[in-house]
Amino acid sequence: MSYRWKPNKTRRLAYAAAMAESERFEFIQPRGAIRNGCRISWVDKSTAIEFSGVVIHNSYGDLTGQHTFTVLLDDKKTKKRIMGRNLYDRLTAHTPGADSIEQSRF
């Protein structure tokens, strides 16, 4: 049995407003792999708020098959973890870091 999202009226309206707000962003495909040192910007799926920062750690869980990124946001205090499946289709900017450029030469 699969989970089915059953929002009430308030949640449906908030979701519709967030989706309408998210249409103002231009989403891109990443230029190369996202690794440590990359500067990225993305829009959060649930709140339609744009975040930006530098990837300080990336990991891939072999058991779960999930790519996870830890990003130090521009305020230099806050760290945010984001799953790859939530990042790739909501990316608005990507500047490859030194690790990405170095590994793309091979």
Side-chain angles (χ1 to χ4, degrees), residues 4-84:
R4 185 171 169 164
W5 185 51
K6 297 179 183 175
N8 60 22
K9 184 177 181 180
T10 304
R11 288 182 181 161
R12 271 196 317 272
L13 291 174
Y15 182 77
M19 290 299 101
E21 179 70 19
S22 71
E23 291 177 2
R24 68 183 174 95
F25 298 105
E26 287 189 35
F27 299 113
I28 63 166
Q29 293 294 321
R31 295 185 318 250
I34 299 174
R35 294 197 172 88
N36 297 348
C38 290
R39 179 156 196 62
I40 58 172
S41 295
W42 76 98
V43 177
D44 186 53
K45 281 188 174 186
S46 60
T47 61
I49 296 173
E50 188 170 15
F51 294 99
S52 62
V54 177
V55 177
I56 57 174
H57 182 72
N58 66 343
S59 63
Y60 185 80
D62 289 330
L63 294 176
T64 59
Q66 301 290 325
H67 204 160
T68 305
F69 300 95
T70 304
V71 180
L72 181 63
L73 298 181
D74 287 339
D75 66 3
K76 304 291 187 212
K77 295 182 220 172
T78 310
K79 292 180 184 176
K80 187 160 180 73
R81 292 187 70 195
I82 183 166
M83 301 295 285

Side-chain angles (χ1 to χ4, degrees), residues 76-104:
K76 304 291 187 212
K77 295 182 220 172
T78 310
K79 292 180 184 176
K80 187 160 180 73
R81 292 187 70 195
I82 183 166
M83 301 295 285
R85 65 174 182 238
N86 296 328
L87 175 66
Y88 296 131
D89 62 340
R90 309 297 285 179
L91 200 61
T92 57
H94 174 230
T95 305
D99 286 353
S100 295
I101 293 169
E102 189 65 33
Q103 291 186 15
S104 68

